[in-house]
C-alpha cells in the first residue's frame, strides 16, 4: 500500500507533493512551488521569474505553499500583494493553490473570489467553527499529525466531506499510514477505500496517483 503525502518537505519521498523551496531545483516527482508569506519582505523579481519558470513544469502540480500569516511581523498588505500575485499565476497555469494560513482565515474568503482554481488549506488543525466556515465556501482541507492527538479535530474530520480531504506529513517525521488509518477509523471506512477516495480527489486536480 502506498500513502499519498499531499504536502511534504522530504525530498527523497516519492509518493506525494514536495514543497519546493524558493530557487531550489525541481525534483523528478510531483512538487508545488510558491513563495511563503514569511518571505514577503525579502522577495525579489528574480524569484518571481524563477516561480514563473518552474510553474510551467508538468510535474509542478500546484502553486504554494502561499497565503497569509497573522503571527509574523509583516504588514498584512505586503503579504496580501504577494498572495494575489500567486493567485494570478495559479489562474494562468490552471493549477490549484496550496494555502498556508495562520489567524487570517476570515480573509481567505475574499481572496477565494479571485481564484479560478481550487484552494487547499494545508495542515488544518483549527477549531470546528473555522472548519465549518471553510467547508461552506468549498475549500479543500489537508490534515496532518494533529489528527492523531487532537480529539476536537478528530470530531471535525469525522464529519468533514471525504471528497474534500487530503492527508500530509508537512515537515513532521512520522508514519503517514498511522494518519490514514486514524482517518479511516473516524469515518468507519476500510483504509483501502480511503486510499481510493484520496486518489479520486487527486484526479480533481489532474494529479494522477503514483503506482
Amino acid at each position: 500500500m502506498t500513502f499519498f503525502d499531499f504536502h511534504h518537505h522530504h525530498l527523497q519521498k516519492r509518493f506525494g507533493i514536495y514543497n519546493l523551496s524558493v530557487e531550489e531545483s525541481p525534483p523528478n516527482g510531483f512538487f508545488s512551488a510558491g513563495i511563503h508569506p514569511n518571505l514577503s519582505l525579502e522577495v525579489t523579481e528574480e524569484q518571481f521569474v524563477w516561480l514563473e519558470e518552474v510553474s510551467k513544469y508538468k510535474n509542478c502540480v500546484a502553486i504554494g505553499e502561499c497565503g497569509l500569516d497573522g503571527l509574523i511581523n509583516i504588514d498584512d498588505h505586503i503579504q496580501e500583494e504577494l498572495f494575489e500575485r500567486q493567485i494570478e499565476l495559479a489562474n494562468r497555469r490552471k493549477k490549484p493553490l496550496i494555502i498556508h494560513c495562520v489567524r487570517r482565515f476570515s480573509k481567505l474568503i475574499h481572496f477565494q473570489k479571485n481564484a479560478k482554481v481550487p484552494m487547499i488549506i494545508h495542515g488544518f488543525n483549527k477549531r470546528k467553527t473555522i472548519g465549518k466556515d471553510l467547508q461552506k465556501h468549498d475549500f479543500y482541507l489537508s490534515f496532518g499529525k494533529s489528527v492523531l492527538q487532537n480529539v476536537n479535530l478528530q470530531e471535525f474530520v469525522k464529519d468533514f466531506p471525504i471528497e474534500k480531504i487530503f492527508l500530509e506529513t508537512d515537515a513532521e517525521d512520522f508514519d503517514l499510514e498511522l494518519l490514514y488509518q486514524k482517518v479511516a477509523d473516524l469515518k468507519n471506512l476500510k483504509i483501502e477505500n480511503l486510499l481510493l477516495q484520496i486518489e479520486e480527489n487527486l484526479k480533481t486536480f489532474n494529479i494522477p496517483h503514483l503506482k
Side-chain angles (χ1 to χ4, degrees):
M1 249 183 259
T2 56
F3 300 91
F4 195 91
D5 194 339
F6 186 78
H7 174 84
H8 69 84
H9 297 258
H10 311 285
L11 186 57
Q12 302 307 316
K13 183 172 284 191
R14 182 182 174 197
F15 297 103
I17 301 173
Y18 175 66
N19 185 80
L20 195 69
S21 297
V22 173
E23 297 185 303
E24 183 182 2
S25 297
N28 293 325
F30 295 140
F31 70 93
S32 64
I35 301 174
H36 195 283
N38 65 14
L39 297 176
S40 299
L41 289 177
E42 307 165 19
V43 65
T44 64
E45 284 305 313
E46 288 78 12
Q47 289 171 338
F48 272 109
V49 170
W50 166 85
L51 181 56
E52 287 271 356
E53 289 304 308
V54 296
S55 67
K56 295 176 184 176
Y57 282 52
K58 187 175 181 180
N59 56 327
C60 177
V61 294
I63 304 301
E65 59 183 294
C66 57
L68 304 169
D69 194 319
L71 286 181
I72 58 177
N73 190 26
I74 299 177
D75 185 83
D76 281 4
H77 180 67
I78 295 172
Q79 293 189 47
E80 289 166 7
E81 283 188 347
L82 177 61
F83 191 24
E84 284 173 347
R85 285 188 71 170
Q86 293 180 87
I87 292 172
E88 189 273 330
L89 174 62
N91 288 342
R92 282 192 282 115
R93 296 284 184 260
K94 297 180 180 177
K95 294 181 178 183
L97 284 147
I98 296 179
I99 306 300
H100 168 96
C101 188
V102 178
R103 295 189 180 180
R104 290 296 182 267
F105 288 99
S106 60
K107 290 194 172 189
L108 280 184
I109 310 302
H110 163 75
F111 287 97
Q112 188 194 34
K113 294 174 183 176
N114 299 326
K116 299 174 183 175
V117 295
M119 287 178 135
I120 309 97
I121 298 170
H122 97 85
F124 184 81
N125 60 0
K126 304 306 176 187
R127 62 182 184 271
K128 191 172 184 177
T129 51
I130 293 174
K132 286 289 187 183
D133 197 37
L134 294 169
Q135 178 182 341
K136 184 172 66 176
H137 287 91
D138 211 30
F139 282 89
Y140 288 75
L141 299 182
S142 184
F143 299 93
K145 189 177 182 180
S146 295
V147 174
L148 297 176
Q149 298 110 3
N150 188 323
V151 175
N152 291 328
L153 187 60
Q154 290 170 6
E155 285 299 310
F156 175 66
V157 170
K158 182 178 178 180
D159 295 329
F160 189 74
I162 194 170
E163 298 83 7
K164 298 285 185 180
I165 282 179
F166 294 105
L167 302 176
E168 63 176 69
T169 60
D170 194 7
E172 299 276 4
D173 185 15
F174 71 100
D175 187 350
L176 187 60
E177 183 177 356
L178 296 175
L179 180 58
Y180 269 79
Q181 187 62 64
K182 185 65 177 180
V183 172
D185 291 345
L186 289 169
K187 292 194 162 294
N188 197 27
L189 289 171
K190 291 182 178 179
I191 196 168
E192 293 85 355
N193 291 337
L194 176 59
L195 286 165
L196 287 172
Q197 183 60 57
I198 295 289
E199 187 170 343
E200 286 302 309
N201 297 351
L202 289 168
K203 289 177 183 176
T204 303
F205 304 114
N206 297 314
I207 302 174
H209 186 58
L210 290 174
K211 297 295 185 184

